[in-house]
Amino acid sequence: MSTQRFDVAVIGAGAAGMMCAAQAGQRGLKVVLIDHASKLAEKIRISGGGRCNFTNRDVLPANFISANPHFCKSALAAYTPQDFLELVNQHGIPWHEKHKGQLFCDDSSEDIISMLRTECEHGQVQWRMPCKVDAIQAIELAAADSSVERATTGKPARFRVLTDQGLIEVTSLVIATGGLAIPQLGATDWGLKVARQFGLKVIDPRPALVPLVFNGDDWAPFGELSGLALEAEVTTGTDRPVTSFLEDVLFTHRGLSGPGILQISSYWQPGQAIRLNLAPGRHLGDELIASKAGNKQQLGTVLANLWPRRLTEQWLGESSASKLADAGDKWIRELATRIHGWTLTPSGTAGYKKAEVMRGGVDTRDLDQRTMQAKARPGLHFIGEVVDVTGWLGGYNFQWAWASAVACAKGL
Ligand code: FDA
């Protein structure tokens, strides 16, 4: 098979990869987009419950976790949620806003996939899919092959991409292979291996936006509450200010899930406790004591105004039947303290199979924040989730995929 020559090879045709390939192609570069999957952009397809929470109106650097928190600022400022929304509008995709600035497709996440495909067509991107990449080799500049077809820029080839569909030589190589979440959809650590191959550091990856699980015996009484959800303020860590999220929490057979837990899981460190305020915004001790005099209601009934009955019974046990009027102030205050600060230590996370994203990844201190290029390896770029920038739940991870892809494409 003859060697093919492109300006750019993008490996990984997910959110970041398609966006980058399209933008680079539309700038006039000759681009090949390679993915090993047989089905395109599965993570976009399943995202947002099938409706793709494609961005968030309010994106700030503080919504992202990274060992180098300043890194994401430049790309996020250069390509904003409004920029992506304009693209969505140009393609006539209907969308709506949910709570906390989250923007979703009205119909289906397929709309976003089609939009990115069309954008790639406009950039005359060539596809190799499904296509397995066996190896990446650096080309010593002196040995750059001038006998093969010249690419648009006339710049020398710097990388050789060995695939099961032949050899490709490129000036720039963009790694957009995503994170390790949902291995059943073909997630791999290939991008991290390429980073290490070229001497870049990798921040230890671990599951994030993931349910938390508890020791079986400790959790058994709460496992019975599986399916129950309520709003809580969830915190972890000893950082000041403490990171906290006011969101729904869901009881499961093995532990806790729901948006509040997924958010805090990205900050949680093994061995640390999490704290749940199960009556956020209230002063339960004062309220109960103030309404005590002559109150013949059972405690279980009083708290059932606040919580689902099942939780009240589980929480209070036998005290559920006691009358509020008979409860001592000290006991009420202790109860309120526990309700406002239920502290429990997860035994772990539900792992990559249940995680929405990977935390960690290619160390951003080894990348240029404007172009996503490896500082010590010209022509090698990393974008999207493979990079150590992890967004909150709520459209932030896609916004990072779009913004890092555009920054990279401009710098190619
Ligand atoms: P992405 O995973 O999209 O793409 C990587 C591509 O690389 C894949 O096509 C894969 O096949 C390919 N690949 C991997 N290894 C390869 C190899 N060795 N060779 C060739 N190709 C390879 N985010 C958000 O903002 N809003 C949301 O609503 C959701 N919802 C959501 C739901 C669920 C269930 C999950 C699992 C995740 C989300 N996310 C999300 C997160 C979001 O999907 C994710 O952050 C982005 O898809 C990351 O984009 P990337 O392009 O970096 O990776």
Side-chain angles (χ1 to χ4, degrees):
M1 251 185 269
S2 64
T3 304
Q4 291 178 302
R5 178 76 168 93
F6 290 88
D7 294 312
V8 187
V10 179
I11 321 280
M18 279 201 280
M19 186 69 162
C20 182
Q23 297 260 328
Q26 289 174 26
R27 285 190 48 223
L29 297 175
K30 189 175 169 193
V31 182
V32 62
L33 180 53
I34 303 172
D35 200 295
H36 67 170
S38 46
K39 217 165 164 195
L40 180 61
E42 280 286 63
K43 285 222 181 128
I44 301 182
R45 182 169 290 107
I46 61 168
S47 68
R51 291 218 165 86
C52 188
N53 176 195
F54 54 77
T55 191
N56 192 295
R57 271 202 194 280
D58 308 307
V59 169
L60 293 171
N63 304 122
F64 296 84
I65 304 165
S66 172
N68 177 16
H70 298 296
F71 178 83
C72 61
K73 289 182 179 172
S74 157
L76 290 173
Y79 192 81
T80 64
Q82 194 53 41
D83 291 323
F84 190 75
L85 202 49
E86 274 168 27
L87 189 64
V88 168
N89 288 335
Q90 273 168 30
H91 284 257
I93 297 173
W95 55 272
H96 60 280
E97 183 169 342
K98 279 199 180 171
H99 85 311
K100 299 194 175 177
Q102 300 170 6
L103 305 188
F104 286 76
C105 296
D106 281 358
D107 299 329
S108 161
S109 37
E110 295 284 353
D111 287 346
I112 300 293
I113 301 175
S114 303
M115 176 187 88
L116 293 168
R117 271 194 99 115
T118 306
E119 288 293 311
C120 284
E121 271 168 34
H122 293 165
Q124 296 179 343
V125 172
Q126 295 192 36
W127 292 79
R128 300 285 182 278
M129 189 179 163
C131 174
K132 185 169 178 296
V133 180
D134 296 317
I136 303 289
Q137 294 169 351
I139 301 175
E140 295 311 320
L141 282 186
D145 190 347
S146 57
S147 63
V148 293
E149 184 196 345
R150 305 247 358 133
T152 324
T153 62
K155 288 184 191 166
R158 290 190 281 216
F159 299 95
R160 218 169 256 134
V161 184
L162 286 72
T163 80
D164 62 4
Q165 293 182 27
L167 184 62
I168 294 170
E169 290 188 346
V170 293
T171 307
S172 301
L173 183 62
V174 180
I175 308 298
T177 46
L180 289 166
I182 321 283
Q184 55 276 38
L185 287 185
T188 68
D189 65 351
W190 187 86
L192 302 179
K193 285 186 181 146
V194 174
R196 291 191 186 100
Q197 176 189 343
F198 288 101
L200 283 83
K201 288 187 286 303
V202 169
I203 305 290
D204 275 348
R206 56 193 175 87
L209 298 181
V210 62
L212 296 173
V213 298
F214 295 85
N215 179 292
D217 292 341
D218 296 347
W219 192 252
F222 298 104
E224 291 169 17
L225 300 176
S226 177
L228 185 148
L230 78 164
E231 192 182 60
E233 185 180 26
V234 194
T235 62
T236 192
T238 50
D239 301 350
R240 292 286 179 269
V242 172
T243 308
S244 77
F245 293 93
L246 182 63
E247 289 274 9
D248 276 0
V249 164
L250 173 73
F251 285 79
T252 71
H253 287 295
R254 294 180 62 205
L256 291 169
S257 185
I261 295 297
L262 299 189
Q263 296 281 33
I264 211 68
S265 73
S266 299
Y267 289 87
W268 177 75
Q269 303 283 346
Q272 260 181 0
I274 58 167
R275 283 178 304 285
L276 281 79
N277 179 353
L278 296 174
R282 309 279 297 255
H283 296 282
L284 211 55
D286 293 344
E287 287 174 33
L288 290 176
I289 289 169
S291 62
K292 213 178 97 170
N295 196 329
K296 298 269 186 298
Q297 280 189 309
Q298 292 179 338
L299 264 170
T301 309
V302 175
L303 284 185
N305 293 326
L306 191 68
W307 289 344
R309 180 114 216 164
R310 279 200 295 153
L311 176 62
T312 309
E313 281 164 9
Q314 179 60 49
W315 190 269
L316 292 174
E318 287 176 3
S319 315
S320 181
S322 314
K323 295 203 172 44
L324 178 59
D326 298 337
D329 288 2
K330 184 164 175 273
W331 185 86
I332 289 178
R333 289 218 182 275
E334 281 168 7
L335 173 70
T337 302
R338 280 193 293 128
I339 290 174
H340 283 303
W342 188 28
T343 303
L344 56 177
T345 305
S347 57
T349 75
Y352 284 118
K353 276 189 178 174
K354 301 281 180 191
E356 283 206 6
V357 290
M358 169 186 89
R359 203 195 142 160
V362 178
D363 191 333
T364 57
R365 288 164 290 208
D366 289 344
L367 300 176
D368 180 315
Q369 63 183 354
R370 286 168 300 112
T371 60
M372 307 292 132
Q373 181 170 231
K375 286 178 184 165
R377 178 61 68 168
L380 179 62
H381 302 247
F382 292 84
I383 58 172
E385 201 182 310
V386 73
V387 176
D388 172 39
V389 174
T390 308
W392 287 6
L393 189 78
Y396 299 96
N397 285 295
F398 279 135
Q399 187 57 33
W400 170 247
W402 318 133
S404 59
V406 171
C408 174
K410 281 186 187 157
L412 290 170

